[in-house]
Each structure stands twice: as structure tokens, then as C-alpha cells.
Amino acid sequence: MTAKPNTREGAMAYTGYAELWKALNPRQQFYLKTIFEEDQAREAAQRAAGAAGNYDRRPAAEWRTIDAYHEPAVPDLVGRTALQIRWRGAGHHDQGTGSTIKVLVSHKLITLDHRATPFGRMHQVTMTKHGRALMRWVTKPRPCRTKVPLKERAAEVLGQLYDASKSRTGYLDWARSPTIDKELIPRGLARSRGTYLGFEITEEGVTHLAEHHAAYAAAYPKLNLPDPSGRKCWPKEADRLLDWLRNECWSLAHASERAEKRAQEERARAEEEFKEEFHRQEGELALAMYREVFELKRAHAKALADTFDGYRVKMRMVLAERLPQYTAATLAAVTAVVEGTDPVAAIRKQTAAAVSELPAYTPTGVAAVDVEGERLYAECQRKRPRRAATTRKGKAKAAAGLHTEAVPSPARGTALEQPWALAVHLHRVLRNGYLYRLLNAPPEEEQPRRRRPAGLLDAPALRLLVALVATENPRRAHHSRIQVERYGQASEGELATIPRGLFSYEIKQVTRSTKAPGVLTDRGLAEYMNLAQFDAYSHYGDNWPLLHVTQAGRDHLAEYREAYAEFHPDVVLPPVSAPAVPSGS
């Protein structure tokens, strides 16, 4: 199947974001990337705190404001910010920081403010909506629009169950798995072998994986799911060949670095002089012995230094041959994926002989791959590649725009630096067939999704409503009544009025959304009952809320059941035959 470029984004948006990103130099791109990552880390922390009930009442404009750098620079007094530490580690923290920030402000990607400190002022930056949109476009492809029956984790576990069925044991020897218990077993895709005896996939699970494999590959391209139908997929041999090339280059680079350090150490020992004053009390014979032993050690150190130097030169010569092969192999694999040819044959062709010139870069149409890939490829084609600078303190500074943690130390500041960075970038998107699945999505996956009918709940609210209805199953324990009997004093008549429902901590287990309970209560699908009146010992203070479903909630779920099954297939709906118990029982 010939791969097609990812055209989910409009041409206007693609061109606009691409031109804006290319208008920034590598240093400015790196600064914007670090600010965006800090912004997203704070957003994730706020979301996790809210799900745990620790709400931060500050406005978003306040907690999104990030300390950038202090003026004047007095790190001994005010320390360094998180951004400064990252910039410093990549060799980008110097007097040009202020100018770089101002360029990002001029493009309206961030805003700049400051706050007073006892030693001057701290400059603060905040990502704008335009800046976040650009970085999301750069860093990740757009998700598939098609709904799939299972969530990403459930699909991954189903693939693991299938792989386990082909193993020697034939099952997955996990003691317990909430994902299997809540997502796969209710759908009949897996079954338990008994308490602490593991899980195994069913025939329905194998059929489900075969039928929906293409849809899961499009929706979750990072998952390398097995295909029971045996259709053509990304060959594992391609991963093996690329990993072998990368590991060989990495080993040669670091082995040559260690050899250089050891050679310097041994040469320093060989240049030491014998100090007779340390042996004046030993006598002539002992002094001759120590002098001869010292000369032997010095000769041995010189021989070791020459050996390390010799092997260092040989390893760098091999590295200068292998690393271009690695880069050419990744470029050829990308071309094979785009054109629908065999990537293994393309990789073997590039490793058959020395590479004198890199093959052309084939655009994939995926912004997260092309923007960085085209920039690094252009760096490789420069007649005079950027070299690493050296600071006044003698520390090597990486070439602009390259990730220093991805470049082996001996390659920094050499002609191998840019090819290595390009190979690492392309290998990352090729590994496990990630790019292959992105570009080989089935045609039906590109069709626009139907609009959700008005009146339907979103997934978190629906998940909570289903959990509330499930508590009314008479086969389940009446948890709210048990709690009242444990902590309160109530008559049998009062206990009969307590409905089945969920307490606050149980709601958090069902859904992490803090808005879901409010959505249900506002629409009259659920309501709260305060059980504090039954708490004889004031364990819960004045508020002991119990959320339970109303008759309107039951009718709503029954009325829109088919629509929910279509638009929220990842939510397991209760069986139709499950009897509902009145709230007063």
C-alpha cells in the first residue's frame, strides 16, 4: 500500500506554522521549546491536583507565568531558574538570552513581564495561545478522528494477551489487572484463569484485534500491536538493523572518548619525574631498586598511552564510516515508508558500502517529522557545518539547535554532529513502525467524524452515570448503608431510605473529572444526599455527601443507549437486563 502524506491539517495552517517555525533560528526554537515544556508540565500538575481534590484557585494567567532570568545576573544570591538550568545545560545561556526572548515576544509566541526582587528584577515569560498552537503543531501529529472501542492502554494490554497466547505458557501471568477486569473481561475479550493465576485472551478477543487492528493503528500509532490476520506491517528486521547501527555508533563514540581520557591519564604518569628525596634514607641499593621500578612503570604507562591512542584513531575512523551509513539508512527507510517499498532492502543497500553522499530527504507530510528533519538535513548539506564553540572556562558548547544529550561527546564540534542528530531524529519516529502507521492509515480513518447529537453527556460524565446505575444492581453490596451502619445510629426505617450511590472518594476512582458530578446534578440525572444526619460521632463533620442516580438519569441512559454506544465506545454500558432498584430500597 502506497503511503500518503498526512493531510489532516489544512494547507493554509501547515504553510503558516511552517514558515513561522523556520523564521526562528535554532537557538530561538530551543528557547520556545523549553518554555512550552515547562508550561505543559505546570498544566499537567494543575490537572492532577484538581483530580485529587487539591484545587488551585489562582487564575491560569498566574500559575502559567514562568520565571525566566534575573537582571542583574547574581546566581549566588537568587539562584538559577528551571529555564536557566536547561539553557545552561545545552550551552545556550549567555548574554544573548534577553535578545532571544524579545524575538519570541515580537512574534507573539510569548509575553514578557517582570517582578521586583531585593536584588533587582526577575523577568517572567508566559506562553500565548498562538505559541501553544505552534508548538503543538511542531511536536506532535494530529490524532485520528475515528472512535475505537478500546482506550490506548486497553488495546495495548489486549495485544500483550495475544502475544502471551503464542508464548510457551499461553497466558499472561499477572496477579491482577484493573484494565483487564474493567475493560476487557466485560466485553468478553479476555478471561481470568483464577485468583492470582493470570489472564488469557478469548476467541472473541483475537477476532476483535484482527477486525480493528487498522483502526487501532491509526488511532494509536505509537502502539505496535500484533495483527492476528497476518497482514503486511512494519518489519521487525528494520528495527533490528537500525538499532544495531545506532548501538555500534554509540559504542564506538564512547569507547573512543574513554580511550582518549585513559591516554591522557597514562601520558601524565609517563611524564612524571622520579623524586629521589623521598628515598634518601633507603640506601643506594634500595634507591636503585625504586628507580628501576619507576622507569618500568613509566615505560608501561607510555605503552598504554600509545595503545589507547592507536585504538582511539581506529575507532574514530570506523565511526566516520558507520555514522554516515546510519544516517543514510534512516533517510532511506523514511523514503521506503513514504513510497511503500521494502524498508529492509533500503537499509541493507545503504550499509553495503561506504556512504560518500547522503540520499535526498523525502518529506512525509507530518509536521512533527518534517520541520525538524528538513532543518537538520539542511545542516548536513552545509559546506561548512557549524562547529562547537568553546567558552572562556574551556567548556565545549554544542552547535546551535542540536540536542546535546543525543550527540555522542566525540562527535560534538565535528562534521559528524549534524548527521548523528538527523539520524537520531528519524530513528525515533521510525522505531516500532510509528511513522509507518501514521502514513498508512486506512482511507476510512480520514473521513470526518459525525457530530455528537445534542443532549449527550461527555465521556467523564457518562462514565460516572454508568457507575451510579451499576451501584443499584441488587447483587452488589449496599455500600452506603454499610457505611452508615458502621459509623452511625439509625433505625431500620431510616436505613431503608438511604439510596445506593457513591461517596466522594469513590467518584474520584470512577472519573478524574472534577466537573462530572456537577454536570449530572445540573441536568437532574443525579442528586446528592447528605448522610451527616446519620453520623452519631461526627466523623465527617457537617457534610457527608452521597451522590445517587435519579429516575431521570435511568431514563436518559435507556433513551440514548444506542447513541452512547456509537459515540463513546470506550465506556462499558451496563447490560440491558440489569434490573433497577428504586432509590428508597
Side-chain angles (χ1 to χ4, degrees):
M1 175 179 176
T2 302
K4 299 179 181 179
N6 189 340
T7 57
R8 295 178 184 131
E9 304 172 66
M12 293 292 292
Y14 185 96
T15 304
Y17 284 137
E19 293 300 326
L20 176 57
W21 182 253
K22 291 179 180 178
L24 305 176
N25 63 36
R27 176 191 176 93
Q28 294 158 3
Q29 292 173 354
F30 180 75
Y31 270 57
L32 185 61
K33 180 176 179 289
T34 55
I35 296 173
F36 173 73
E37 290 175 351
E38 178 65 22
D39 176 86
Q40 294 303 292
R42 294 192 177 194
E43 182 178 313
Q46 289 289 327
R47 192 182 302 112
N54 303 321
Y55 305 104
D56 190 346
R57 303 299 181 185
R58 296 181 300 165
E62 185 174 341
W63 54 260
R64 284 188 184 275
T65 301
I66 306 169
D67 288 345
Y69 63 96
H70 191 272
E71 187 179 2
V74 281
D76 294 338
L77 297 177
V78 299
R80 291 187 175 89
T81 65
L83 293 179
Q84 284 179 309
I85 293 174
R86 292 198 60 182
W87 298 338
R88 183 182 178 87
H92 289 302
H93 187 223
D94 51 33
Q95 291 83 358
T97 296
S99 301
T100 304
I101 294 294
K102 288 180 181 179
V103 172
L104 299 179
V105 173
S106 66
H107 286 288
K108 298 182 180 180
L109 302 175
I110 63 173
T111 59
L112 181 63
D113 200 354
H114 68 271
R115 60 179 175 85
T117 68
F119 307 100
R121 58 179 180 174
M122 175 67 72
H123 292 275
Q124 299 174 303
V125 294
T126 306
M127 290 288 298
T128 63
K129 291 183 178 180
H130 184 48
R132 287 191 205 96
L134 171 65
M135 290 308 303
R136 290 192 182 102
W137 179 85
V138 169
T139 55
K140 64 179 94 172
R142 297 299 167 265
C144 175
R145 294 180 176 182
T146 303
K147 287 287 185 178
V148 288
L150 296 177
K151 298 179 184 178
E152 185 172 4
R153 175 57 181 166
E156 181 182 10
V157 173
L158 184 62
Q160 292 175 345
L161 285 169
Y162 178 78
D163 286 336
S165 68
K166 302 299 181 181
S167 64
R168 182 178 58 84
T169 58
Y171 62 91
L172 198 61
D173 57 347
W174 291 0
R176 58 185 299 274
S177 172
T179 301
I180 298 178
D181 291 336
K182 296 179 181 179
E183 301 288 341
L184 301 183
I185 291 180
R187 288 185 168 90
L189 306 180
R191 57 173 168 261
S192 173
R193 303 180 68 254
T195 306
Y196 301 108
L197 295 179
F199 303 91
E200 57 187 4
I201 193 171
T202 62
E203 292 296 331
E204 293 82 356
V206 176
T207 304
H208 177 93
L209 187 59
E211 291 179 353
H212 297 86
H213 184 271
Y216 286 131
Y220 311 128
K222 290 186 177 180
L223 290 185
N224 191 15
L225 296 177
D227 189 357
S229 62
R231 288 185 291 262
K232 179 183 177 182
C233 58
W234 174 255
K236 293 184 178 180
E237 180 66 12
D239 279 333
R240 189 189 69 80
L241 291 174
L242 290 178
D243 288 340
W244 178 80
L245 284 170
R246 180 193 181 279
N247 293 339
E248 186 180 19
C249 293
W250 187 266
S251 300
L252 285 169
H254 282 273
S256 63
E257 183 184 41
R258 290 193 296 270
E260 183 177 12
K261 291 182 179 179
R262 289 296 304 274
Q264 292 175 354
E265 294 173 359
E266 297 298 337
R267 190 168 287 106
R269 293 191 182 96
E271 293 175 356
E272 293 179 356
E273 297 293 338
F274 182 72
K275 299 180 181 179
E276 295 188 6
E277 59 269 18
F278 291 165
H279 307 281
R280 289 176 179 175
Q281 307 298 327
E282 302 292 340
E284 291 296 331
L285 191 58
L287 183 62
M289 178 189 68
Y290 287 125
R291 183 181 290 109
E292 184 176 354
V293 170
F294 180 81
E295 292 298 332
L296 289 174
K297 289 183 177 180
R298 188 161 64 175
H300 180 64
K302 186 177 182 301
L304 287 177
D306 293 340
T307 302
F308 282 126
D309 277 337
Y311 276 98
R312 176 182 60 83
V313 173
K314 292 179 182 178
M315 285 187 288
R316 290 195 174 181
M317 290 175 61
V318 177
L319 179 63
E321 178 184 351
R322 290 288 188 271
L323 200 147
Q325 289 181 343
Y326 175 42
T327 308
T330 56
L331 288 168
V334 169
T335 303
V337 171
V338 174
E339 297 179 352
T341 58
D342 184 12
V344 175
I347 294 172
R348 292 188 185 278
K349 181 179 178 181
Q350 297 298 329
T351 57
V355 176
S356 58
E357 185 179 357
L358 292 179
Y361 179 83
T362 304
T364 64
V366 181
V369 179
D370 288 343
V371 172
E372 187 71 3
E374 290 175 350
R375 184 184 70 81
L376 292 173
Y377 185 79
E379 291 289 337
C380 294
Q381 299 302 110
R382 289 172 61 93
K383 294 183 179 179
R384 293 184 179 180
R386 291 187 176 96
R387 299 296 182 89
T390 305
T391 62
R392 294 180 180 177
K393 296 182 179 180
K395 295 182 179 179
K397 192 174 164 186
L402 299 180
H403 302 290
T404 57
E405 65 270 16
V407 182
S409 299
R412 294 178 189 169
T414 69
L416 299 178
E417 183 176 13
Q418 285 79 11
W420 172 263
L422 175 61
V424 169
H425 169 70
L426 296 180
H427 191 182
R428 186 180 295 115
V429 297
L430 286 168
R431 184 176 283 117
N432 291 327
Y434 174 58
L435 181 62
Y436 178 86
R437 288 187 291 276
L438 274 181
L439 301 184
N440 287 276
E444 60 269 14
E445 301 302 323
E446 298 180 1
Q447 298 176 358
R449 186 182 62 180
R450 290 177 53 192
R451 288 187 175 275
R452 187 175 63 189
L456 262 63
L457 300 171
D458 57 7
L462 175 62
R463 195 173 291 111
L464 179 57
L465 179 61
V466 169
L468 292 173
V469 172
T471 60
E472 297 190 328
N473 192 322
R475 289 174 292 181
R476 295 183 56 167
H478 197 329
H479 190 209
S480 52
R481 176 168 177 162
I482 293 174
Q483 291 292 92
V484 169
E485 290 177 335
R486 180 180 300 175
Y487 296 109
Q489 295 179 353
S491 63
E492 185 61 33
E494 291 174 331
L495 290 174
T497 64
I498 301 175
R500 297 171 180 261
L502 299 175
F503 293 107
S504 299
Y505 69 93
E506 295 173 311
I507 294 175
K508 293 177 184 177
Q509 295 173 354
V510 172
T511 175
R512 291 190 173 185
S513 172
T514 58
K515 299 179 180 179
V519 171
L520 297 185
T521 54
D522 291 343
R523 298 183 56 173
L525 306 180
E527 60 183 16
Y528 279 104
M529 179 178 182
N530 194 352
L531 302 185
Q533 55 183 319
F534 302 117
D535 185 9
Y537 304 101
S538 300
H539 293 89
Y540 300 95
D542 297 331
N543 191 25
W544 189 7
L546 174 71
L547 184 66
H548 62 93
V549 69
T550 61
Q551 186 59 43
R554 304 186 197 96
D555 296 340
H556 175 87
L557 190 59
E559 180 181 358
Y560 295 100
R561 182 182 184 85
E562 294 183 0
Y564 281 130
E566 178 182 0
F567 288 93
H568 294 296
D570 56 327
V571 179
V572 182
L573 301 177
V576 180
S577 58
V581 179
S583 58
S585 64

